[in-house]
Amino acid sequence: DGAVSTPRPAARRVGHDTPPPVRPGEQRDVARIAATLTLAAATSRWTRWALPEDGRVQRLTRWHELAAHRAVATRTAWVTEEVTSVALWHPPHDAAGTAPLPDDVRAALTTELPSLSAHRASVVAGTDRLVAEHLPGGPHWRLLDLATRPTSRRRGQAAAVLAPALARCDADGLPAAAVAWSWAATSSLRGSGFEVTAKLETADGAMPVWVVVRPPG
């Protein structure tokens, strides 16, 4: 669906020992969530692999707008106050405190995502199916997108926006899972307790993909 694109572990600067405030994402945040995700992923290998060169930034921005609408509508988006760091999740079915995906958002995701990938749609879908076989079989929270704006990195923001869902996983005894599209992103997630459970390749063999899972604490 998207890319976990934290390019380096989230280390805090001296003097930033207090985690930044985090809140649930709201409808008013959709544009800024999309902007943060796009700024973080604009030059990523996933973006170059998944989206055609023609209109790539516009395609990526719309991809992230759809991702933001999905997470905000299902109450599974967490952001810093200025939306400089975001984490978007897919929850277990009927998880308390979440909401069903609205029909209009579901329809937009179904129709628009393949068109955004254009001639890459089949290999993106094939990779999604391959990855799905290696995700936890039971209920779990799946991290779909994690990003921090370049000017706000190394302040503990990524760890802060991850914390609410990870705390929920611990309370409910459920794992969290993610797909990482670079070793840097994999290393960052390992710093939050995720473990590599599978190293795969995209359906066309173009690049490696890591499945990482965090057991409940």
Side-chain angles (χ1 to χ4, degrees):
D1 287 351
V4 175
S5 54
T6 302
R8 61 177 64 88
R12 293 178 186 168
R13 292 176 178 170
V14 174
H16 287 268
D17 293 332
T18 301
V22 171
R23 59 178 174 79
E26 303 172 6
Q27 186 63 37
R28 64 186 174 95
D29 299 317
V30 164
R32 296 198 70 181
I33 291 171
T36 293
L37 292 170
T38 299
L39 282 169
T43 60
S44 72
R45 192 174 179 184
W46 178 87
T47 299
R48 298 193 303 272
W49 169 79
L51 303 178
E53 184 176 0
D54 177 36
R56 181 172 286 158
V57 173
Q58 291 82 2
R59 293 173 187 270
L60 183 63
T61 300
R62 180 54 181 163
W63 188 291
H64 287 147
E65 286 173 352
L66 292 168
H69 279 296
R70 172 175 50 195
V72 167
T74 57
R75 302 174 189 164
T76 56
W78 282 270
V79 302
T80 52
E81 187 56 45
E82 299 301 320
V83 200
T84 52
S85 190
V86 304
L88 311 182
W89 296 81
H90 179 73
H93 181 64
D94 285 340
T98 65
L101 185 65
D103 289 342
D104 60 338
V105 178
R106 186 187 306 277
L109 290 164
T110 300
T111 59
E112 290 194 48
L113 291 183
S115 67
L116 292 173
S117 288
H119 67 276
R120 302 296 298 161
S122 62
V123 73
V124 171
T127 301
D128 286 345
R129 289 191 294 270
L130 177 65
V131 164
E133 296 175 0
H134 294 269
L135 293 170
H140 65 280
W141 285 73
R142 180 177 173 183
L143 177 64
L144 298 179
D145 290 285
L146 171 66
T148 301
R149 295 195 183 206
T151 54
S152 298
R153 290 175 183 157
R154 305 189 67 81
R155 300 178 185 176
Q157 292 194 13
V161 292
L162 283 175
L166 295 183
R168 173 70 181 275
C169 287
D170 291 345
D172 294 345
L174 295 177
V179 177
W181 302 87
S182 71
W183 182 246
T186 304
S187 297
S188 178
L189 290 170
R190 290 175 68 195
S192 292
F194 288 80
E195 303 169 357
V196 176
T197 56
K199 181 181 178 182
L200 312 171
E201 288 187 343
T202 54
D204 58 353
M207 64 178 186
V209 183
W210 291 266
V211 176
V212 295
V213 176
R214 178 188 179 275

